[in-house]
C-alpha cells in the first residue's frame, strides 16, 4: 500500500524535553512538508523540503528542526525552545514531474503532541 | 501576498446541497484545491481545479471558479451525515511551492 505514515499517533512529552515525530512516505515524492494545526487556526507551515539534503523554513520554524537524509523520510524535532508545542502535527508530500500532480499534497494521519 | 479566506461554519440539513465558499488573493495561482478533514485525521484530497477552468464536476462534488473575482466554491449535492467535516480551500502558484490554506469551514449536517 502506498501512502504516508506518521508515528506515533499520540505523543506525550514533559516540558524541557526534545521529541522527534516520524514521517515516512513510499510514494516516491520529492517534496515533503510539516504543518502544525491548532483549533480554529487552520494549517501553519513549519518546514518543507523539495529535495533530499535541502529544506526551507516555513512561517513558524522557530523551536523546530528537520532533516532530509533520505527521500522517503522527513522527521521533525520539536525542541524545548518551542514555547507552546501542544498541537496536531501533519506531514504531507507532493510529487514532481507530472504536470497536473505537481503541487497536489497528500497528507499523513497526523500526530497529536501533548506537553505535560 | 497570498491569503485564502473561508467562512468558519456551515450547517445544512441532510439531503440538501452544501456550498462552501473561498476567496484567494494571489492572481498567479495555478491550482486550487479542496481538502476534507474528519475529526482526528489528516487531510484528504477531494478535488482540485486548474486556473484555466471554470467548473469541475466529480460525482456529488461541483467546483466553480470565478477567476475574475478570485472566488472558489465547492458544492456538495445531497449532503449526508458522513460529509460532516472541516473543508479546507488551498491555492498554489506552482513549482512544488507549499500550498496556502484557508482556516477551514466546519460543515455540520443535521439529520
Amino acid at each position: 500500500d502506498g501512502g504516508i505514515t506518521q508515528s506515533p499517533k499520540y505523543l506525550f512529552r514533559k516540558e524541557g524535553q526534545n521529541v522527534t515525530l516520524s514521517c515516512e512516505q513510499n510514494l516516491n515524492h520529492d517534496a515533503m512538508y510539516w504543518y502544525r494545526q491548532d483549533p480554529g487556526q487552520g494549517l501553519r507551515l513549519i518546514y518543507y523540503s523539495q529535495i533530499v539534503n535541502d529544506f526551507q523554513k516555513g512561517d513558524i520554524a522557530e523551536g523546530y528542526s528537520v532533516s532530509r537524509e533520505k527521500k522517503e523520510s522527513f522527521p521533525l524535532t520539536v525542541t524545548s525552545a518551542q514555547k507552546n508545542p501542544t498541537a496536531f502535527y501533519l506531514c504531507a508530500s507532493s510529487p514532481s514531474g507530472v504536470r497536473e500532480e505537481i503541487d497536489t499534497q497528500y497528507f499523513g494521519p497526523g500526530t497529536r503532541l501533548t506537553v505535560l | 501576498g497570498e491569503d485564502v479566506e473561508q467562512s468558519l461554519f456551515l450547517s445544512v440539513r441532510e439531503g440538501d446541497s452544501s456550498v462552501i465558499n473561498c476567496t484567494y488573493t494571489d492572481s498567479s495561482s495555478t491550482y486550487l484545491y479542496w481538502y476534507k478533514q474528519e475529526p482526528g485525521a489528516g487531510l484528504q484530497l477531494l478535488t482540485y481545479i486548474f486556473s484555466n477552468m471554470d467548473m469541475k464536476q466529480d460525482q456529488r462534488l461541483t467546483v466553480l471558479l470565478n477567476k475574475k473575482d478570485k472566488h472558489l466554491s465547492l458544492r456538495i449535492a445531497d449532503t449526508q451525515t458522513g460529509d460532516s467535516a472541516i473543508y479546507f480551500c488551498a491555492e498554489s502558484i506552482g513549482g512544488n511551492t507549499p500550498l496556502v490554506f484557508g482556516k477551514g469551514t466546519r460543515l455540520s449536517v443535521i439529520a
Side-chain angles (χ1 to χ4, degrees):
Chain A
D1 261 300
I4 303 173
T5 56
Q6 291 186 243
S7 60
K9 189 169 174 62
Y10 299 96
L11 190 56
F12 298 89
R13 166 197 123 174
K14 291 182 181 177
E15 271 194 55
Q17 288 181 337
N18 291 357
V19 63
T20 298
L21 282 59
S22 167
C23 178
E24 304 275 330
Q25 53 98 0
N26 61 4
L27 301 167
N28 200 33
H29 287 174
D30 284 320
M32 297 186 74
Y33 311 82
W34 273 106
Y35 294 90
R36 170 182 170 138
Q37 187 178 26
D38 296 283
Q41 296 252 7
L43 301 177
R44 291 186 289 170
L45 181 66
I46 305 173
Y47 268 98
Y48 67 103
S49 167
Q50 293 178 316
I51 197 167
V52 174
N53 291 324
D54 189 40
F55 48 82
Q56 287 80 40
K57 291 182 180 180
D59 301 318
I60 56 163
E62 187 175 346
Y64 300 97
S65 66
V66 292
S67 63
R68 187 86 189 276
E69 296 176 4
K70 298 186 294 182
K71 188 175 185 177
E72 57 270 24
S73 178
F74 191 39
L76 173 74
T77 297
V78 184
T79 75
S80 55
Q82 169 50 234
K83 297 276 186 284
N84 185 20
T86 294
F88 190 51
Y89 289 87
L90 286 160
C91 179
S93 68
S94 63
S96 63
V98 178
R99 182 173 173 78
E100 282 197 354
E101 296 289 332
I102 284 177
D103 298 306
T104 306
Q105 290 184 14
Y106 299 88
F107 284 80
T111 292
R112 186 165 297 280
L113 173 65
T114 303
V115 174
L116 304 172
Chain B
E2 302 163 354
D3 199 10
V4 177
E5 300 281 344
Q6 302 178 239
S7 53
L8 293 182
F9 300 100
L10 177 66
S11 182
V12 299
R13 293 203 175 275
E14 191 175 19
D16 288 351
S17 292
S18 309
V19 179
I20 303 170
N21 294 301
C22 170
T23 57
Y24 60 99
T25 56
D26 197 316
S27 58
S28 60
S29 292
T30 56
Y31 298 95
L32 294 134
Y33 298 81
W34 284 105
Y35 285 86
K36 175 183 180 182
Q37 185 182 33
E38 296 183 5
L43 274 66
Q44 171 196 352
L45 176 68
L46 284 180
T47 187
Y48 62 89
I49 189 167
F50 189 50
S51 57
N52 68 355
M53 297 169 66
D54 298 323
M55 185 182 90
K56 182 177 181 181
Q57 186 153 2
D58 184 1
Q59 299 182 335
R60 290 192 298 123
L61 304 179
T62 303
V63 178
L64 294 178
L65 175 60
N66 181 329
K67 200 171 179 186
K68 174 176 166 289
D69 294 338
K70 298 193 182 95
H71 183 265
L72 181 73
S73 68
L74 175 70
R75 178 177 180 270
I76 305 173
D78 186 25
T79 311
Q80 302 297 307
T81 54
D83 295 322
S84 293
I86 301 176
Y87 291 81
F88 289 93
C89 170
E91 66 169 342
S92 172
I93 57 173
N96 259 351
T97 54
L99 302 184
V100 177
F101 287 86
K103 291 192 188 317
T105 300
R106 183 178 296 275
L107 173 65
S108 297
V109 181
I110 305 162

